[in-house]
Amino acid sequence: MTEIKISELLNKDKAGKIYKIKGWIRTARQSKNITFLEINDGSVINNLQIILEEKNIENYESLLDDLTTGSSIEIEGLLIESPAKGQEVELSASRIKIIGKCPSDLYPLQKKRHSFEYLRSILHLRSRTNTQGAVVRIRSTLSFSIHKFFQERGFLYIQTPIITGSDCEGAGEMFRVTTLDLANIQKNDEGLVDYNEDFFGKQTFLTVSGQLNVEPFCCSLGNVYTFGPTFRAEKSNTSRHCSEFWMIEPEIAFAGLKENMELAEDCLKYIMNELLILREEDLNFLDKWVENGLITKLKNIVNKSFKHITYAEAIDILANSKQQFEYPVFWGTDLQAEHERYITEKAFDCPVIVTNYPKEIKAFYMRLDDDEKTVSAMDVLVPGVGEIVGGSVREEREDVLIRRIKEMNLNIEDYIWYLELRKFGTIPHAGFGLGFDRLVQYSTGMTNIRDVIPYPRTPKNALF
Ligand code: 4AD
Ligand code: MG
C-alpha cells in the first residue's frame, strides 16, 4: 500500500485504491457508530475527510476518547468519491493508529479563529493553523522561485558574510557581535573599549546588507546575487519592519538604472507568475479569508507594466493631493510609509518605481547624477506594503566616491577595499535589495510582517 501526501490524494483520479496517510486531526465529529475526522498533513491547505465506521474498525469505541484536535495519527483506508458536498474524495478507514495524543483541555489551539497576536505567542504551534500553513508554503515557494529566476538568467549565487566590519547603509543601525565580558570591559589608555581584546581583534557587527560584499564578485565575474539574512537595530515598531529579515540582492555588471529597473520588474513578474501556478489553493484561501482581491492583485503584477516616476514627480503628486499627511511634504524629505502608500495605492494603484532621490537621504554608494543634487536610486513601491525594493546604480568613479564618503562623515579607512574596485578596472554596475519578508507579506495579503516570518524579531521581542 502506498503512503501518500494529502496534496496528491485530493482528486478523483486517485479514488478506488487503498492508501496510508499520516497527519494531525483538525476536527473530529463523533457519534455512536460513525466518526468524521478532518486530517491535515501540511502538504496542502485542504484537509482530507476520514470516515470511521464502527463496523470497519477494531476497538472503535476505545479509540474515540483520543481522537481529539491536534492528535497525530496514521490511517489506512479506501479512497472513495465523496457523496457529500465540500470535497471530491474521502477516505473510508480500515485501520487507524494514534501516534501522539493531544489533551484537548490543555491544547492552545482550539477550533475557533485565534487572533494573530495570540498566535505570535505560540510560534511553535502557529504553523498548525490554516493561515500559517499557507504563508509558510508560499514563503518556501517564493524562495525557490527567486533562486530559479536568477539561476536561469546566469546569475551566480554568492554567500556573503553575516558577521562584518562595515556598515553598508551607513545608518549606524548595527547589532554588535562581541565575546567581550560585558560585566568587565577592558578600556585602553584613552579610556575607550579595547577591541583588540575582542574575538576578531576589531569591532564587528551583524550585516545590514550583503551588497558591499557582493560587489567585488560583480566586478570580476559579472552578474551575481546574494540571498540571506540581514539585521537592523532600528527601533521601528511598524507592521513592515523587523530586526532580522531576509534580502535578495542582485548586482548587475556593465549596467545602469534602466537595466536595474527592468531586472526588478522582471523578477517580481516571474515569481508572482510561478506563485499563481504553484500555490493556487493557498492563494484561494488567503483571497477568501485574509485579503479579498489578492489573486487579482498578483495577476496585475504579472500582466501590467510598472509605473515610473522620479522623486521630484512624486513630491509634486503628494504636494498637490488633497490628503492630509502626518509628515510634511517638501523636496528633500524622505518618503514616509504614508507617502509611499498614497503614491502606489491612490495616485496609481499599481507598483511604482521612484527614481533619482536627493543624495542627502540615500546611501553613500549611490551614483551621483549630473545635477549633483540627486542620485541614481530606485525604489519599487507596491500597494499595501510600500517600499519592497531599494536599489541604485553604484558610484563607479573613485574621486566622486571618496568625496561622497567624506561628505557623509564616514570613515574612509573602512572603505579602502571598496574604493579599490574603482581604482582597478572600474565598471558601471547597479543592483537592488528585495525585502523577502515584505515580498511574502505582499504575496499573502498579511498586514503584519510578524505574521509571515517563522520567528519574528522586533524591538523587545525575540521569542523562542
Ligand atoms: O532599501 P534598503 O535599506 O537597501 C539596501 O540595504 C541596499 N544595500 C540594497 C541593495 O541595493 N543591494 O533595503 C532593501 C529592502 C527594502 O526595500 C525593504 O523591502 C527591505 O529591504 N527592508 C526591510 N524589511 C523588513 N524589515 C526591515 N527593517 C527592513 N529594512 C529594509
Ligand atoms: Mg530603502
Side-chain angles (χ1 to χ4, degrees), residues 168-169 208-209 211 232 234 240-242 245 247 249 251 365 387-392 394 431-435 438 449:
C168 174
E169 295 306 298
V208 294
S209 155
Q211 179 199 325
R232 297 202 185 170
E234 48 187 337
R240 54 178 209 155
H241 284 91
C242 261
F245 62 96
M247 216 193 321
E249 296 183 272
E251 198 66 32
Y365 54 73
E387 179 192 338
I388 197 164
V389 167
S392 79
R394 315 311 186 189
F432 60 81
L434 165 59
R438 288 194 189 169
I449 198 164

PDB file of all heavy atoms in Angstrom, residues 168-169 208-209 211 232 234 240-242 245 247 249 251 365 387-392 394 431-435 438 449, ligand 1:
ATOM      1  N   CYS A 168      27.052  48.887   5.680  1.00  0.00           N
ATOM      2  CA  CYS A 168      26.708  49.129   4.279  1.00  0.00           C
ATOM      3  C   CYS A 168      25.865  50.373   4.090  1.00  0.00           C
ATOM      4  O   CYS A 168      26.126  51.204   3.246  1.00  0.00           O
ATOM      5  CB  CYS A 168      25.981  47.915   3.710  1.00  0.00           C
ATOM      6  SG  CYS A 168      25.363  48.156   2.041  1.00  0.00           S
ATOM      7  N   GLU A 169      24.826  50.504   4.883  1.00  0.00           N
ATOM      8  CA  GLU A 169      23.911  51.617   4.656  1.00  0.00           C
ATOM      9  C   GLU A 169      24.372  52.890   5.368  1.00  0.00           C
ATOM     10  O   GLU A 169      23.769  53.943   5.212  1.00  0.00           O
ATOM     11  CB  GLU A 169      22.497  51.235   5.098  1.00  0.00           C
ATOM     12  CG  GLU A 169      21.885  50.111   4.260  1.00  0.00           C
ATOM     13  CD  GLU A 169      21.896  50.414   2.764  1.00  0.00           C
ATOM     14  OE1 GLU A 169      21.268  51.395   2.357  1.00  0.00           O
ATOM     15  OE2 GLU A 169      22.553  49.672   2.008  1.00  0.00           O
ATOM     16  N   VAL A 208      23.947  44.517   7.722  1.00  0.00           N
ATOM     17  CA  VAL A 208      22.637  45.108   7.384  1.00  0.00           C
ATOM     18  C   VAL A 208      22.293  44.848   5.923  1.00  0.00           C
ATOM     19  O   VAL A 208      21.160  45.065   5.488  1.00  0.00           O
ATOM     20  CB  VAL A 208      22.585  46.639   7.631  1.00  0.00           C
ATOM     21  CG1 VAL A 208      22.716  46.947   9.107  1.00  0.00           C
ATOM     22  CG2 VAL A 208      23.643  47.374   6.821  1.00  0.00           C
ATOM     23  N   SER A 209      23.285  44.380   5.150  1.00  0.00           N
ATOM     24  CA  SER A 209      23.088  44.145   3.718  1.00  0.00           C
ATOM     25  C   SER A 209      24.313  43.438   3.179  1.00  0.00           C
ATOM     26  O   SER A 209      25.437  43.703   3.626  1.00  0.00           O
ATOM     27  CB  SER A 209      22.907  45.491   3.008  1.00  0.00           C
ATOM     28  OG  SER A 209      23.268  45.395   1.649  1.00  0.00           O
ATOM     29  N   GLN A 211      25.326  43.770   0.170  1.00  0.00           N
ATOM     30  CA  GLN A 211      25.722  44.465  -1.054  1.00  0.00           C
ATOM     31  C   GLN A 211      27.217  44.743  -1.193  1.00  0.00           C
ATOM     32  O   GLN A 211      27.818  44.421  -2.217  1.00  0.00           O
ATOM     33  CB  GLN A 211      24.947  45.786  -1.147  1.00  0.00           C
ATOM     34  CG  GLN A 211      25.310  46.591  -2.384  1.00  0.00           C
ATOM     35  CD  GLN A 211      24.904  48.044  -2.233  1.00  0.00           C
ATOM     36  OE1 GLN A 211      23.879  48.341  -1.610  1.00  0.00           O
ATOM     37  NE2 GLN A 211      25.684  48.946  -2.789  1.00  0.00           N
ATOM     38  N   ARG A 232      18.880  44.639  11.422  1.00  0.00           N
ATOM     39  CA  ARG A 232      18.887  46.091  11.643  1.00  0.00           C
ATOM     40  C   ARG A 232      18.374  46.426  13.027  1.00  0.00           C
ATOM     41  O   ARG A 232      17.270  46.027  13.395  1.00  0.00           O
ATOM     42  CB  ARG A 232      18.057  46.802  10.577  1.00  0.00           C
ATOM     43  CG  ARG A 232      18.677  46.572   9.215  1.00  0.00           C
ATOM     44  CD  ARG A 232      18.320  47.561   8.176  1.00  0.00           C
ATOM     45  NE  ARG A 232      18.919  47.103   6.927  1.00  0.00           N
ATOM     46  CZ  ARG A 232      18.680  47.590   5.744  1.00  0.00           C
ATOM     47  NH1 ARG A 232      17.837  48.597   5.619  1.00  0.00           N
ATOM     48  NH2 ARG A 232      19.283  47.091   4.677  1.00  0.00           N
ATOM     49  N   GLU A 234      17.097  48.997  14.153  1.00  0.00           N
ATOM     50  CA  GLU A 234      16.302  50.234  14.121  1.00  0.00           C
ATOM     51  C   GLU A 234      15.094  50.030  15.021  1.00  0.00           C
ATOM     52  O   GLU A 234      14.482  48.972  15.018  1.00  0.00           O
ATOM     53  CB  GLU A 234      15.896  50.620  12.689  1.00  0.00           C
ATOM     54  CG  GLU A 234      15.320  49.506  11.866  1.00  0.00           C
ATOM     55  CD  GLU A 234      15.076  49.865  10.394  1.00  0.00           C
ATOM     56  OE1 GLU A 234      14.928  51.049  10.070  1.00  0.00           O
ATOM     57  OE2 GLU A 234      15.005  48.930   9.584  1.00  0.00           O
ATOM     58  N   ARG A 240       5.801  46.696   9.052  1.00  0.00           N
ATOM     59  CA  ARG A 240       6.634  46.246   7.917  1.00  0.00           C
ATOM     60  C   ARG A 240       8.126  46.257   8.236  1.00  0.00           C
ATOM     61  O   ARG A 240       8.955  46.145   7.343  1.00  0.00           O
ATOM     62  CB  ARG A 240       6.324  47.070   6.673  1.00  0.00           C
ATOM     63  CG  ARG A 240       6.450  48.561   6.908  1.00  0.00           C
ATOM     64  CD  ARG A 240       6.189  49.354   5.662  1.00  0.00           C
ATOM     65  NE  ARG A 240       6.966  50.589   5.743  1.00  0.00           N
ATOM     66  CZ  ARG A 240       7.362  51.297   4.708  1.00  0.00           C
ATOM     67  NH1 ARG A 240       7.048  50.926   3.488  1.00  0.00           N
ATOM     68  NH2 ARG A 240       8.061  52.395   4.859  1.00  0.00           N
ATOM     69  N   HIS A 241       8.470  46.439   9.508  1.00  0.00           N
ATOM     70  CA  HIS A 241       9.878  46.406   9.913  1.00  0.00           C
ATOM     71  C   HIS A 241      10.156  45.250  10.854  1.00  0.00           C
ATOM     72  O   HIS A 241       9.415  45.028  11.806  1.00  0.00           O
ATOM     73  CB  HIS A 241      10.273  47.690  10.643  1.00  0.00           C
ATOM     74  CG  HIS A 241      10.472  48.857   9.729  1.00  0.00           C
ATOM     75  ND1 HIS A 241       9.450  49.714   9.417  1.00  0.00           N
ATOM     76  CD2 HIS A 241      11.567  49.285   9.052  1.00  0.00           C
ATOM     77  CE1 HIS A 241       9.914  50.637   8.585  1.00  0.00           C
ATOM     78  NE2 HIS A 241      11.189  50.397   8.345  1.00  0.00           N
ATOM     79  N   CYS A 242      11.263  44.569  10.608  1.00  0.00           N
ATOM     80  CA  CYS A 242      11.731  43.546  11.529  1.00  0.00           C
ATOM     81  C   CYS A 242      13.206  43.774  11.776  1.00  0.00           C
ATOM     82  O   CYS A 242      13.900  44.385  10.960  1.00  0.00           O
ATOM     83  CB  CYS A 242      11.526  42.162  10.925  1.00  0.00           C
ATOM     84  SG  CYS A 242      10.048  41.396  11.558  1.00  0.00           S
ATOM     85  N   PHE A 245      15.670  40.171   8.932  1.00  0.00           N
ATOM     86  CA  PHE A 245      14.867  39.865   7.741  1.00  0.00           C
ATOM     87  C   PHE A 245      15.792  39.371   6.646  1.00  0.00           C
ATOM     88  O   PHE A 245      16.999  39.511   6.736  1.00  0.00           O
ATOM     89  CB  PHE A 245      14.061  41.091   7.291  1.00  0.00           C
ATOM     90  CG  PHE A 245      14.903  42.275   6.888  1.00  0.00           C
ATOM     91  CD1 PHE A 245      15.218  42.515   5.560  1.00  0.00           C
ATOM     92  CD2 PHE A 245      15.397  43.147   7.853  1.00  0.00           C
ATOM     93  CE1 PHE A 245      16.009  43.604   5.193  1.00  0.00           C
ATOM     94  CE2 PHE A 245      16.194  44.238   7.494  1.00  0.00           C
ATOM     95  CZ  PHE A 245      16.493  44.461   6.167  1.00  0.00           C
ATOM     96  N   MET A 247      17.012  39.218   2.596  1.00  0.00           N
ATOM     97  CA  MET A 247      17.056  40.098   1.444  1.00  0.00           C
ATOM     98  C   MET A 247      17.680  39.392   0.255  1.00  0.00           C
ATOM     99  O   MET A 247      18.616  38.614   0.425  1.00  0.00           O
ATOM    100  CB  MET A 247      17.867  41.356   1.791  1.00  0.00           C
ATOM    101  CG  MET A 247      17.312  42.599   1.146  1.00  0.00           C
ATOM    102  SD  MET A 247      18.330  44.064   1.171  1.00  0.00           S
ATOM    103  CE  MET A 247      19.112  44.126   2.717  1.00  0.00           C
ATOM    104  N   GLU A 249      19.718  40.267  -3.061  1.00  0.00           N
ATOM    105  CA  GLU A 249      20.458  41.410  -3.594  1.00  0.00           C
ATOM    106  C   GLU A 249      21.236  41.028  -4.852  1.00  0.00           C
ATOM    107  O   GLU A 249      22.348  40.509  -4.766  1.00  0.00           O
ATOM    108  CB  GLU A 249      21.406  41.963  -2.527  1.00  0.00           C
ATOM    109  CG  GLU A 249      20.658  42.518  -1.334  1.00  0.00           C
ATOM    110  CD  GLU A 249      21.587  43.126  -0.295  1.00  0.00           C
ATOM    111  OE1 GLU A 249      22.058  42.380   0.579  1.00  0.00           O
ATOM    112  OE2 GLU A 249      21.857  44.329  -0.368  1.00  0.00           O
ATOM    113  N   GLU A 251      23.366  42.008  -8.248  1.00  0.00           N
ATOM    114  CA  GLU A 251      24.273  43.086  -8.656  1.00  0.00           C
ATOM    115  C   GLU A 251      24.603  42.817 -10.124  1.00  0.00           C
ATOM    116  O   GLU A 251      25.080  41.726 -10.463  1.00  0.00           O
ATOM    117  CB  GLU A 251      25.525  43.026  -7.767  1.00  0.00           C
ATOM    118  CG  GLU A 251      26.359  44.271  -7.739  1.00  0.00           C
ATOM    119  CD  GLU A 251      25.671  45.489  -7.106  1.00  0.00           C
ATOM    120  OE1 GLU A 251      24.855  45.347  -6.182  1.00  0.00           O
ATOM    121  OE2 GLU A 251      25.959  46.609  -7.563  1.00  0.00           O
ATOM    122  N   TYR A 365      26.980  55.069  -1.472  1.00  0.00           N
ATOM    123  CA  TYR A 365      27.451  54.349  -2.659  1.00  0.00           C
ATOM    124  C   TYR A 365      26.618  54.617  -3.909  1.00  0.00           C
ATOM    125  O   TYR A 365      26.915  54.123  -4.984  1.00  0.00           O
ATOM    126  CB  TYR A 365      27.478  52.835  -2.385  1.00  0.00           C
ATOM    127  CG  TYR A 365      26.149  52.292  -1.891  1.00  0.00           C
ATOM    128  CD1 TYR A 365      25.068  52.159  -2.758  1.00  0.00           C
ATOM    129  CD2 TYR A 365      25.965  51.938  -0.549  1.00  0.00           C
ATOM    130  CE1 TYR A 365      23.845  51.693  -2.303  1.00  0.00           C
ATOM    131  CE2 TYR A 365      24.746  51.463  -0.090  1.00  0.00           C
ATOM    132  CZ  TYR A 365      23.690  51.349  -0.970  1.00  0.00           C
ATOM    133  OH  TYR A 365      22.482  50.895  -0.526  1.00  0.00           O
ATOM    134  N   GLU A 387       7.526  50.429   0.192  1.00  0.00           N
ATOM    135  CA  GLU A 387       8.815  50.054  -0.407  1.00  0.00           C
ATOM    136  C   GLU A 387       9.084  48.558  -0.257  1.00  0.00           C
ATOM    137  O   GLU A 387       9.177  48.042   0.849  1.00  0.00           O
ATOM    138  CB  GLU A 387       9.943  50.846   0.261  1.00  0.00           C
ATOM    139  CG  GLU A 387      11.300  50.474  -0.316  1.00  0.00           C
ATOM    140  CD  GLU A 387      12.471  51.004   0.512  1.00  0.00           C
ATOM    141  OE1 GLU A 387      12.298  51.962   1.272  1.00  0.00           O
ATOM    142  OE2 GLU A 387      13.566  50.430   0.369  1.00  0.00           O
ATOM    143  N   ILE A 388       9.239  47.890  -1.375  1.00  0.00           N
ATOM    144  CA  ILE A 388       9.549  46.457  -1.335  1.00  0.00           C
ATOM    145  C   ILE A 388      10.957  46.219  -1.878  1.00  0.00           C
ATOM    146  O   ILE A 388      11.622  45.248  -1.515  1.00  0.00           O
ATOM    147  CB  ILE A 388       8.469  45.655  -2.107  1.00  0.00           C
ATOM    148  CG1 ILE A 388       8.511  44.181  -1.746  1.00  0.00           C
ATOM    149  CG2 ILE A 388       8.574  45.836  -3.603  1.00  0.00           C
ATOM    150  CD1 ILE A 388       7.264  43.418  -2.158  1.00  0.00           C
ATOM    151  N   VAL A 389      11.409  47.126  -2.760  1.00  0.00           N
ATOM    152  CA  VAL A 389      12.753  47.039  -3.333  1.00  0.00           C
ATOM    153  C   VAL A 389      13.433  48.390  -3.165  1.00  0.00           C
ATOM    154  O   VAL A 389      12.809  49.424  -3.389  1.00  0.00           O
ATOM    155  CB  VAL A 389      12.673  46.716  -4.849  1.00  0.00           C
ATOM    156  CG1 VAL A 389      14.025  46.931  -5.522  1.00  0.00           C
ATOM    157  CG2 VAL A 389      12.185  45.307  -5.097  1.00  0.00           C
ATOM    158  N   GLY A 390      14.706  48.363  -2.768  1.00  0.00           N
ATOM    159  CA  GLY A 390      15.507  49.582  -2.751  1.00  0.00           C
ATOM    160  C   GLY A 390      16.809  49.287  -3.467  1.00  0.00           C
ATOM    161  O   GLY A 390      17.451  48.286  -3.180  1.00  0.00           O
ATOM    162  N   GLY A 391      17.179  50.146  -4.413  1.00  0.00           N
ATOM    163  CA  GLY A 391      18.421  49.870  -5.130  1.00  0.00           C
ATOM    164  C   GLY A 391      18.978  51.114  -5.774  1.00  0.00           C
ATOM    165  O   GLY A 391      18.454  52.214  -5.587  1.00  0.00           O
ATOM    166  N   SER A 392      20.043  50.935  -6.537  1.00  0.00           N
ATOM    167  CA  SER A 392      20.656  52.093  -7.196  1.00  0.00           C
ATOM    168  C   SER A 392      21.719  51.643  -8.186  1.00  0.00           C
ATOM    169  O   SER A 392      22.157  50.498  -8.171  1.00  0.00           O
ATOM    170  CB  SER A 392      21.342  53.001  -6.175  1.00  0.00           C
ATOM    171  OG  SER A 392      22.599  52.459  -5.800  1.00  0.00           O
ATOM    172  N   ARG A 394      25.614  52.097  -8.805  1.00  0.00           N
ATOM    173  CA  ARG A 394      26.695  52.317  -7.834  1.00  0.00           C
ATOM    174  C   ARG A 394      27.657  53.381  -8.363  1.00  0.00           C
ATOM    175  O   ARG A 394      27.947  53.416  -9.572  1.00  0.00           O
ATOM    176  CB  ARG A 394      27.464  51.020  -7.578  1.00  0.00           C
ATOM    177  CG  ARG A 394      26.615  49.786  -7.365  1.00  0.00           C
ATOM    178  CD  ARG A 394      25.494  49.993  -6.365  1.00  0.00           C
ATOM    179  NE  ARG A 394      24.792  48.718  -6.100  1.00  0.00           N
ATOM    180  CZ  ARG A 394      23.676  48.628  -5.399  1.00  0.00           C
ATOM    181  NH1 ARG A 394      23.083  49.712  -4.925  1.00  0.00           N
ATOM    182  NH2 ARG A 394      23.114  47.451  -5.190  1.00  0.00           N
ATOM    183  N   GLY A 431      22.407  47.537  -8.714  1.00  0.00           N
ATOM    184  CA  GLY A 431      21.761  46.406  -8.043  1.00  0.00           C
ATOM    185  C   GLY A 431      20.659  46.889  -7.139  1.00  0.00           C
ATOM    186  O   GLY A 431      20.387  48.093  -7.035  1.00  0.00           O
ATOM    187  N   PHE A 432      20.023  45.942  -6.498  1.00  0.00           N
ATOM    188  CA  PHE A 432      18.951  46.321  -5.574  1.00  0.00           C
ATOM    189  C   PHE A 432      18.791  45.273  -4.487  1.00  0.00           C
ATOM    190  O   PHE A 432      19.360  44.172  -4.565  1.00  0.00           O
ATOM    191  CB  PHE A 432      17.623  46.530  -6.325  1.00  0.00           C
ATOM    192  CG  PHE A 432      17.091  45.329  -7.073  1.00  0.00           C
ATOM    193  CD1 PHE A 432      16.388  44.322  -6.412  1.00  0.00           C
ATOM    194  CD2 PHE A 432      17.290  45.204  -8.445  1.00  0.00           C
ATOM    195  CE1 PHE A 432      15.889  43.223  -7.104  1.00  0.00           C
ATOM    196  CE2 PHE A 432      16.784  44.106  -9.155  1.00  0.00           C
ATOM    197  CZ  PHE A 432      16.078  43.110  -8.474  1.00  0.00           C
ATOM    198  N   GLY A 433      18.028  45.639  -3.473  1.00  0.00           N
ATOM    199  CA  GLY A 433      17.673  44.688  -2.415  1.00  0.00           C
ATOM    200  C   GLY A 433      16.173  44.508  -2.414  1.00  0.00           C
ATOM    201  O   GLY A 433      15.420  45.482  -2.319  1.00  0.00           O
ATOM    202  N   LEU A 434      15.751  43.268  -2.579  1.00  0.00           N
ATOM    203  CA  LEU A 434      14.320  42.956  -2.494  1.00  0.00           C
ATOM    204  C   LEU A 434      14.080  42.372  -1.106  1.00  0.00           C
ATOM    205  O   LEU A 434      14.656  41.342  -0.751  1.00  0.00           O
ATOM    206  CB  LEU A 434      13.951  41.949  -3.589  1.00  0.00           C
ATOM    207  CG  LEU A 434      12.611  41.209  -3.500  1.00  0.00           C
ATOM    208  CD1 LEU A 434      11.430  42.177  -3.484  1.00  0.00           C
ATOM    209  CD2 LEU A 434      12.451  40.245  -4.684  1.00  0.00           C
ATOM    210  N   GLY A 435      13.271  43.043  -0.317  1.00  0.00           N
ATOM    211  CA  GLY A 435      12.996  42.571   1.041  1.00  0.00           C
ATOM    212  C   GLY A 435      12.112  41.341   0.981  1.00  0.00           C
ATOM    213  O   GLY A 435      10.953  41.406   0.584  1.00  0.00           O
ATOM    214  N   ARG A 438       8.899  41.332   3.210  1.00  0.00           N
ATOM    215  CA  ARG A 438       7.854  42.220   2.663  1.00  0.00           C
ATOM    216  C   ARG A 438       7.235  41.604   1.410  1.00  0.00           C
ATOM    217  O   ARG A 438       6.050  41.780   1.147  1.00  0.00           O
ATOM    218  CB  ARG A 438       8.444  43.595   2.339  1.00  0.00           C
ATOM    219  CG  ARG A 438       8.743  44.371   3.591  1.00  0.00           C
ATOM    220  CD  ARG A 438       8.998  45.830   3.307  1.00  0.00           C
ATOM    221  NE  ARG A 438       9.480  46.476   4.533  1.00  0.00           N
ATOM    222  CZ  ARG A 438       9.984  47.687   4.577  1.00  0.00           C
ATOM    223  NH1 ARG A 438      10.063  48.403   3.471  1.00  0.00           N
ATOM    224  NH2 ARG A 438      10.386  48.189   5.718  1.00  0.00           N
ATOM    225  N   ILE A 449       4.117  42.127   9.175  1.00  0.00           N
ATOM    226  CA  ILE A 449       5.298  41.337   8.791  1.00  0.00           C
ATOM    227  C   ILE A 449       5.609  40.248   9.830  1.00  0.00           C
ATOM    228  O   ILE A 449       6.169  39.208   9.501  1.00  0.00           O
ATOM    229  CB  ILE A 449       6.508  42.278   8.564  1.00  0.00           C
ATOM    230  CG1 ILE A 449       7.606  41.578   7.738  1.00  0.00           C
ATOM    231  CG2 ILE A 449       7.062  42.820   9.879  1.00  0.00           C
ATOM    232  CD1 ILE A 449       8.631  42.510   7.158  1.00  0.00           C
TER     233      ILE A 449
HETATM  234  O1  4AD B   1      16.490  49.969   0.948  1.00  0.00           O
HETATM  235  P1  4AD B   1      17.414  49.061   1.706  1.00  0.00           P
HETATM  236  O2  4AD B   1      17.918  49.542   3.015  1.00  0.00           O
HETATM  237  O3  4AD B   1      18.601  48.766   0.701  1.00  0.00           O
HETATM  238  C1  4AD B   1      19.754  48.103   0.976  1.00  0.00           C
HETATM  239  O4  4AD B   1      20.026  47.536   2.007  1.00  0.00           O
HETATM  240  C2  4AD B   1      20.672  48.032  -0.215  1.00  0.00           C
HETATM  241  N1  4AD B   1      22.016  47.712   0.255  1.00  0.00           N
HETATM  242  C3  4AD B   1      20.154  47.011  -1.182  1.00  0.00           C
HETATM  243  C4  4AD B   1      20.974  46.892  -2.433  1.00  0.00           C
HETATM  244  O5  4AD B   1      20.995  47.820  -3.229  1.00  0.00           O
HETATM  245  N2  4AD B   1      21.674  45.783  -2.625  1.00  0.00           N
HETATM  246  O6  4AD B   1      16.707  47.648   1.938  1.00  0.00           O
HETATM  247  C5  4AD B   1      16.255  46.902   0.834  1.00  0.00           C
HETATM  248  C6  4AD B   1      14.880  46.315   1.117  1.00  0.00           C
HETATM  249  C7  4AD B   1      13.799  47.354   1.361  1.00  0.00           C
HETATM  250  O7  4AD B   1      13.275  47.834   0.146  1.00  0.00           O
HETATM  251  C8  4AD B   1      12.787  46.550   2.153  1.00  0.00           C
HETATM  252  O8  4AD B   1      11.998  45.756   1.283  1.00  0.00           O
HETATM  253  C9  4AD B   1      13.663  45.628   2.959  1.00  0.00           C
HETATM  254  O9  4AD B   1      14.914  45.559   2.315  1.00  0.00           O
HETATM  255  N3  4AD B   1      13.845  46.132   4.334  1.00  0.00           N
HETATM  256  C10 4AD B   1      13.248  45.607   5.415  1.00  0.00           C
HETATM  257  N4  4AD B   1      12.377  44.589   5.544  1.00  0.00           N
HETATM  258  C11 4AD B   1      11.951  44.294   6.782  1.00  0.00           C
HETATM  259  N5  4AD B   1      12.329  44.925   7.900  1.00  0.00           N
HETATM  260  C12 4AD B   1      13.217  45.966   7.818  1.00  0.00           C
HETATM  261  N6  4AD B   1      13.608  46.584   8.934  1.00  0.00           N
HETATM  262  C13 4AD B   1      13.701  46.347   6.532  1.00  0.00           C
HETATM  263  N7  4AD B   1      14.562  47.282   6.094  1.00  0.00           N
HETATM  264  C14 4AD B   1      14.640  47.134   4.760  1.00  0.00           C
END
